Amino acid sequence: MALVPLYGVIGNPIGHSLSPVMHNAAFAATGQAAYFNAFQVEDLETAMAGVRALGIAGLSVTLPHKSKIMEYLDWVDDQALKISAVNTVVNRQGRLCGYNTDAPGALAALSGKIELSGRRVLIIGAGGAARALVYGVAEAGGRVAIVNRSAERGAALAQEFGVQYLASSEIENFQAEVLVNTTSVGMAPASELIPFPPTLIKPSMVVMDIVYNPLRTKLLEAAEKCGAVTIDGLEMFIAQGALQFEMWTGQKAPLKVMRQAVLNALGDDRC
Ligand code: ATR
């Protein structure tokens, strides 16, 4: 099976994805004659038949296809199966293999600031991104609790992974050391929204937001104001992308180049 050095992100909508900018910068910086494209995909089954027929070398997968894509793969690794989501496909000589780099990407972002083992980690949200975070942090030895707008969904996720679900009145007692927002609350254009009461943020906390547009969300602004350590959404986005790049190419990802390319695209000139 002849593969072509073509990669892409599939999702719907896909117009605002920063994956092409990030991965094409990485390919260029490492001298690879490869190209990464964004594909808006409605009919996943037909799209995956196309990937096979054309010999596309790898995919990044985003909403709403992260779970459904597993039906069209030849093999899915254990972590991705437990999270029930694949965000990375590697075409190995015609065999489509699925992985999840969101969980290790989130851990890489967190571990730059804190050793998670034994820490009390409060996860906000119970959607797809929360699943990766809850799984990853629990595997790393963190003591996880979940809060969510819909109690039913939050409690179901907590039960599935054997962690705690907290009602709003129980948040303070939990004494979280790490707080992670996995919801889209605070994302542009509704960037004035905050997913957690600012009064419950403590200076001793590490606060991470997976939202990266804007980079400095209301949550991170409130955390900074009270002296907490913050981790912005770009950290996880770059980390999960770097792991994808390494799986596809077998080469070390040029992290700085990837970060700068995404910052440029976001219209931010920080280094
Ligand atoms: P994803 O797969 O990207 O995580 P999702 O499955 O739609 O997306 O999950 C979104 C998460 O953000 C959920 O936890 C959702 O809360 P509900 O389970 O109550 O729906 C949360 N969320 C989305 N919009 C929200 C809002 N305005 N306020 C609070 N939580 C919100």
Side-chain angles (χ1 to χ4, degrees), residues 95-159:
R95 202 161 169 257
L96 298 183
C97 302
Y99 301 87
N100 186 302
T101 69
D102 285 330
L107 289 186
L110 282 164
S111 65
K113 296 284 164 65
I114 190 166
E115 160 63 58
L116 284 173
S117 179
R119 302 291 190 163
R120 287 184 297 276
V121 182
L122 184 55
I123 309 259
I124 308 165
R131 294 183 71 85
L133 261 298
V134 170
Y135 171 82
V137 172
E139 282 285 295
R143 291 157 60 186
V144 177
I146 297 169
V147 287
N148 193 46
R149 175 178 61 180
S150 135
E152 203 179 322
R153 199 169 172 210
L157 180 63
Q159 191 180 17

Side-chain angles (χ1 to χ4, degrees), residues 9 16-24 36 60 212 237 240 244:
V9 57
H16 295 292
S17 173
L18 292 169
S19 291
V21 158
M22 174 171 69
H23 285 299
N24 283 324
F36 190 103
S60 177
Y212 58 76
F237 182 67
Q240 63 80 32
Q244 296 183 315

Side-chain angles (χ1 to χ4, degrees), residues 208-225:
M208 170 162 142
D209 203 331
I210 70 161
V211 171
Y212 58 76
N213 187 18
L215 267 185
R216 199 160 176 270
T217 56
K218 275 277 174 288
L219 177 68
L220 295 187
E221 202 174 281
E224 255 173 39
K225 217 182 249 174

Side-chain angles (χ1 to χ4, degrees), residues 63 125-130 148-150 153 182-185:
L63 299 179
N148 193 46
R149 175 178 61 180
S150 135
R153 199 169 172 210
T182 71
T183 76
S184 55
V185 178

